[in-house]
Amino acid sequence: MKILIINGPNLNLLGKREKNIYGDRDFESFFEELKNKYPKIDLEYFQSNHEGELVDKIHEVGFSYNGIIFNAGAYTHTSVALADAISGVTTPVIEVHISNVHKREEFRHKSFLSPVCKGIIVGFGLDGYRLALESFVIN
Ligand code: DQA
């Protein structure tokens, strides 16, 4: 089973950025732990701060991988292009947010991606990525 985790803008700063919201763990060490927990899954990770690169990556894997776990960061609330990319591929996408976006500013309550994703997981910290992975494993 091939699964790709995609993180969007500013998520390269996890562990350094607004620790009160996103925690103090960097994503790379979390990702290594996740790979060790699920050794049978071919798990990959991609991060970009650029919307077009995120679109390109979804196109690249979106007809062959079994699942995409996607935290689009702030593009969640703005990007028709990413929503169209998700709609345009056959691989199911699970939207993840580390923080509970619904507890935060109003502009974070709107997601252009949720209507075209298989499901959404918000507010469980980094564990949200594991929960999304688990759902691909059991389904
Ligand atoms: C986020 C929530 C977004 O609103 C924000 O812009 C992020 C991170 C989250 O994981 O909680 O960059 O996607």
Side-chain angles (χ1 to χ4, degrees):
M1 177 179 277
K2 269 177 109 69
I3 306 284
L4 175 66
I5 296 176
I6 305 178
N7 274 341
N10 301 305
L11 292 163
N12 54 312
L13 294 183
L14 283 176
K16 298 188 188 118
R17 165 198 190 202
E18 297 176 280
K19 292 184 188 179
N20 55 321
I21 300 174
Y22 300 114
D24 53 14
R25 180 128 198 222
D26 68 282
F27 197 80
E28 286 69 21
S29 72
F30 168 78
F31 178 68
E32 282 312 311
E33 192 180 290
L34 198 59
K35 270 178 44 158
N36 291 337
K37 247 186 215 155
Y38 294 86
K40 289 193 187 132
I41 297 181
D42 188 351
L43 188 59
E44 293 172 15
Y45 173 53
F46 176 76
Q47 190 276 331
S48 176
N49 294 320
H50 304 278
E51 189 175 15
E53 286 183 5
L54 297 167
V55 170
D56 287 345
K57 186 49 95 173
I58 291 167
H59 293 177
E60 184 189 314
V61 306
F63 295 93
S64 55
Y65 283 39
N66 303 92
I68 296 172
I69 298 167
F70 191 20
N71 185 347
Y75 288 141
T76 305
H77 319 298
T78 62
S79 182
V80 176
L82 286 172
D84 284 351
I86 294 168
S87 296
V89 299
T90 51
T91 298
V93 177
I94 297 180
E95 176 183 348
V96 168
H97 298 287
I98 296 163
S99 64
N100 181 351
V101 284
H102 298 288
K103 262 194 195 167
R104 300 179 63 193
E105 304 94 321
E106 185 98 32
F107 66 86
R108 295 187 203 275
H109 299 181
K110 164 81 185 167
S111 168
F112 282 92
L113 311 187
S114 298
V116 293
C117 283
K118 182 178 183 202
I120 62 175
I121 297 174
V122 305
F124 290 96
L126 291 179
D127 200 40
Y129 295 89
R130 185 192 60 78
L131 292 167
L133 187 59
E134 192 63 38
S135 101
F136 280 126
V137 171
I138 62 174
N139 287 303

